[in-house]
Amino acid sequence: MQRTQHTPVAIVGGGPVGIMLALFLDRHGVRSVVFDEAETPYDAPRGNTHNARTMEHYRSLGISAPIRALGLPAEHPADIAYFTRYSGTELSRLKLASRARRMRQTSVAPATDQTPEPVHRANQMYVERFLYEYVRTRPNITLRLGRRVTDLKQDAEQVTLWARPADGPPEHWTARFAVGCDGGRGLVRRSLGVRYDGEGALDQEVLGRQATAAHLRLPTFHRDVMTGRRAWSYWSLNSELVMNLISLNGADEFFLLTSSVAPDAGADDIADLVRRGAGMPLPVEVLGRRPWTPGVALVAERFTVGRILLAGDAAHLFTPNGGFGMNTGVDDAANLAWKLAGILAGWGGPALLASYEAERRPTARRNTTAARELNAGLGTVERPAELELPGPEGEAARARVGDQLRCYGERTHSLGVQLGARYDGSPVIAQDGTPPADSWGTYTPSSVPGGRAPHLWLDTWHGPGSSLFDRLGPGFTLLRLGGRAPTGKPLEAAAQAHGMPLTVLDVDHDAARDLYQRDLVLIRPDQHVAWRGDRLPEDPDALVALVTGTRGPR
């Protein structure tokens, strides 16, 4: 007779979002099982950007330092550079600091610096390898690799899954909850009958319609072609073609993105395109290739159906402009993990689970729209025939296109997307005040409930333990700010009676009270502000009931 195995949370899909969800659950002491068809991590380039918020999440798990060591060499510039051809004229350059320089800047930043973990460029395949090695050391996570989930059903009590290995009988599992992190074509969303809505591919020649992504080895590119200042992202743009080469290791491996060859192009066609983009012959080895559709901004109609939830690409599909896709998925996982933990522990109520969709679906809509706008903006850049001509006519064209590229490059600064997600209107947020204006280009720190808690360095070292975020508990944290804040004992008592985990943290720092504008601030496990005030509410039990989803807002 087939043995049924049980786990509190089943995660279908072992990409970065699924693995990060398992790690967040592990931090809260919740066991999970991760199912994935592949035997090993995906071994081809995909996303290249781990934004400031994702790096903060890595920091909360204690793994930001080893992840920051991956990717480009420490002193390799992170510039985005645009050329007519790689051996031709540089049209524009967005200068961005190397990893080492970013961290030197962070070490001397002011106390109220909002990026304790700056954006990091490392391809997803490198980070996934690390995550798989790390996750095997965690006691609450079971990996079931090489197993395809073929069916799942749910009732009022549990979810039932069948997972089939490459050979052998299927495994039978039950779980209190299941989360689909299995991508846009995965089983979970389709089995729920949940559709995407939003915008499809952009009809433009620059990363529009259908495109090609390829993993390349270019052993002489930095030595013979790109002989000036190095960059992280190299664009070749002219009337004939547009292509982007992203440096993976700072040496010979690159990630190609282009719409200038057919999606089914062979290795010879891709190699020919790279040589034309370089404007000179060079050796090209195509290590892998795949088609993709740029311009999409799709969001699932539902993120939650009963005991089954969606996260990552199963919940939203992005164009890669801005690097928002994986990062939005990691933020999904951070939002969802503590809520599942609360419900499984018994202190979370029905509104807590409902708040996942209420909070994350508008964020997905916002971020997919921002990425599509960036993609569309690139399509408006001119590529006139005279761009490569010598003399005044060519110089004027290059200056004009360079200005357009400079404006586009400045728009790629997306700190508002990275740090500015807000959960205004959430059923588990104590609404208070007017939130700052939403801008996906800039971030305004604010303690208005619903947003990310403003960051503060608590000493001059700026190392591990120095960040306010390092001092927050794994559950809720009540900040007592400025040295004169009233006691938090009544809220502690209410939380203890309810079973809600709560840490009280006194922050007697000159800048803290000015930054937060209140004496008391309640921070959720995902570092978002749940409530603030100069004194505790008259009914602390009601506040606890609200933020844990056991009672609706008054």
Side-chain angles (χ1 to χ4, degrees):
M1 183 176 178
Q2 188 181 45
R3 182 171 68 94
T4 298
Q5 303 177 75
H6 179 76
T7 180
V9 181
I11 301 170
V12 183
V17 175
I19 291 295
M20 285 295 290
L21 176 59
L23 287 170
F24 285 127
L25 289 168
D26 172 66
R27 184 171 186 249
H28 295 292
V30 176
R31 293 182 295 110
S32 66
V33 176
V34 181
F35 299 90
D36 199 90
E37 288 187 56
E39 296 279 359
T40 59
Y42 194 75
D43 195 24
R46 287 185 287 173
N48 296 278
T49 298
H50 303 261
N51 73 22
R53 187 67 181 132
T54 294
M55 293 304 299
E56 289 175 357
H57 290 316
Y58 292 152
R59 185 183 185 114
S60 74
L61 296 170
I63 57 176
S64 61
I67 286 177
R68 200 172 285 283
L70 303 172
L72 297 175
E75 298 292 351
H76 190 105
D79 296 0
I80 301 174
Y82 303 88
F83 303 85
T84 54
R85 296 181 196 266
Y86 298 128
S87 61
T89 303
E90 183 173 309
L91 296 166
S92 182
R93 179 180 290 257
L94 181 64
K95 293 186 177 181
L96 300 170
S98 66
R99 165 165 51 99
R101 186 180 176 193
R102 284 181 190 271
M103 299 317 293
R104 288 193 294 268
Q105 292 170 339
T106 298
S107 70
V108 296
T112 55
D113 173 47
Q114 291 303 306
T115 51
E117 289 286 352
V119 62
H120 178 54
R121 311 291 190 183
N123 197 271
Q124 200 170 306
M125 65 179 180
Y126 301 144
V127 175
E128 282 190 45
R129 291 173 198 166
F130 166 80
L131 290 176
Y132 266 74
E133 293 174 5
Y134 179 69
V135 82
R136 294 178 192 277
T137 70
R138 306 309 304 165
N140 291 314
I141 303 173
T142 300
L143 293 177
R144 303 300 286 170
L145 304 181
R147 286 159 176 81
R148 180 170 60 91
V149 174
T150 58
D151 194 13
L152 71 168
K153 301 182 184 303
Q154 64 175 317
D155 56 32
E157 301 297 325
Q158 65 184 14
V159 181
T160 303
L161 302 91
W162 289 263
R164 180 177 292 278
D167 51 13
E171 299 175 359
H172 184 248
W173 288 81
T174 61
R176 292 281 302 281
F177 296 95
V179 185
C181 302
D182 52 344
R185 299 178 183 275
L187 168 75
V188 178
R189 180 184 60 82
R190 290 186 290 108
S191 72
L192 296 173
V194 173
R195 299 177 300 174
Y196 289 121
D197 60 22
E199 303 290 340
L202 281 167
D203 186 17
Q204 62 186 43
E205 293 183 5
V206 182
L207 293 189
R209 304 180 187 125
Q210 290 293 310
T212 296
H215 185 191
L216 308 178
R217 179 170 285 118
L218 309 176
T220 66
F221 183 82
H222 283 126
R223 185 192 71 195
D224 297 340
V225 182
M226 195 50 56
T227 56
R229 176 179 166 86
R230 293 191 178 190
W232 162 67
S233 173
Y234 301 94
W235 286 85
S236 177
L237 181 144
N238 52 65
S239 60
E240 177 193 2
L241 56 85
V242 180
M243 56 183 286
N244 184 17
L245 284 176
I246 295 171
S247 182
L248 296 176
N249 60 0
D252 62 341
E253 287 194 49
F254 294 83
F255 186 31
L256 168 70
L257 297 173
T258 185
S259 289
S260 295
V261 294
D264 58 353
D268 290 343
D269 295 325
I270 292 172
D272 177 66
L273 174 73
V274 173
R275 295 183 183 110
R276 288 186 286 124
M280 61 184 296
L282 76 162
V284 178
E285 182 182 359
V286 179
L287 303 175
R289 61 190 184 277
R290 59 181 172 83
W292 59 283
T293 304
V296 297
L298 300 175
V299 177
E301 295 174 321
R302 298 284 308 277
F303 281 23
T304 304
V305 179
R307 293 180 170 272
I308 303 176
L309 305 100
L310 303 176
D313 284 356
H316 38 67
L317 289 176
F318 284 75
T319 189
N321 296 71
F324 303 154
M326 183 206 74
N327 294 287
T328 301
V330 170
D331 219 20
D332 292 342
N335 183 290
L336 177 58
W338 72 270
K339 296 175 179 178
L340 290 175
I343 292 166
L344 290 167
W347 55 260
L352 191 60
L353 191 64
S355 73
Y356 172 64
E357 180 174 314
E359 293 178 353
R360 293 306 299 168
R361 193 169 186 274
T363 302
R365 177 67 67 205
R366 168 184 183 262
N367 292 1
T368 54
T369 299
R372 183 177 171 88
E373 286 182 12
L374 277 177
N375 195 2
L378 187 59
T380 66
V381 176
E382 293 181 65
R383 295 186 293 134
E386 59 269 24
L387 195 62
E388 298 182 88
L389 291 178
E393 187 179 9
E395 290 174 5
R398 288 187 288 275
R400 185 173 70 253
V401 172
D403 286 341
Q404 295 171 7
L405 290 167
R406 193 170 301 109
C407 291
Y408 170 77
E410 290 171 354
R411 294 191 69 206
T412 63
H413 288 298
S414 59
L415 198 60
V417 171
Q418 297 177 49
L419 303 181
R422 295 197 54 85
Y423 303 145
D424 304 305
S426 167
V428 294
I429 294 290
Q431 308 301 319
D432 165 25
T434 303
D438 184 29
S439 167
W440 54 267
T442 58
Y443 167 69
T444 303
S446 170
S447 69
V448 173
R452 164 191 177 266
H455 177 258
L456 187 73
W457 289 111
L458 299 179
D459 58 40
T460 58
W461 180 44
H462 293 191
S466 300
S467 167
L468 172 65
F469 293 169
D470 297 338
R471 312 277 181 95
L472 301 179
F476 284 80
T477 302
L478 178 66
L479 300 183
R480 299 179 66 244
L481 299 160
R484 297 180 180 177
T487 181
K489 293 296 184 182
L491 186 63
E492 288 184 81
Q496 184 175 13
H498 190 84
M500 182 188 92
L502 176 68
T503 300
V504 177
L505 179 64
D506 291 342
V507 184
D508 186 6
H509 191 287
D510 292 341
R513 180 57 174 76
D514 292 338
L515 183 63
Y516 275 86
Q517 297 288 302
R518 295 292 189 278
D519 292 337
L520 300 169
V521 179
L522 183 63
I523 310 297
R524 306 188 330 179
D526 59 0
Q527 300 172 346
H528 279 249
V529 177
W531 169 88
R532 66 176 183 172
D534 289 329
R535 61 181 182 274
L536 288 176
E538 293 181 1
D539 186 354
D541 294 296
L543 176 59
V544 169
L546 171 66
V547 300
T548 59
T550 53
R551 184 186 305 168
R554 291 184 174 180

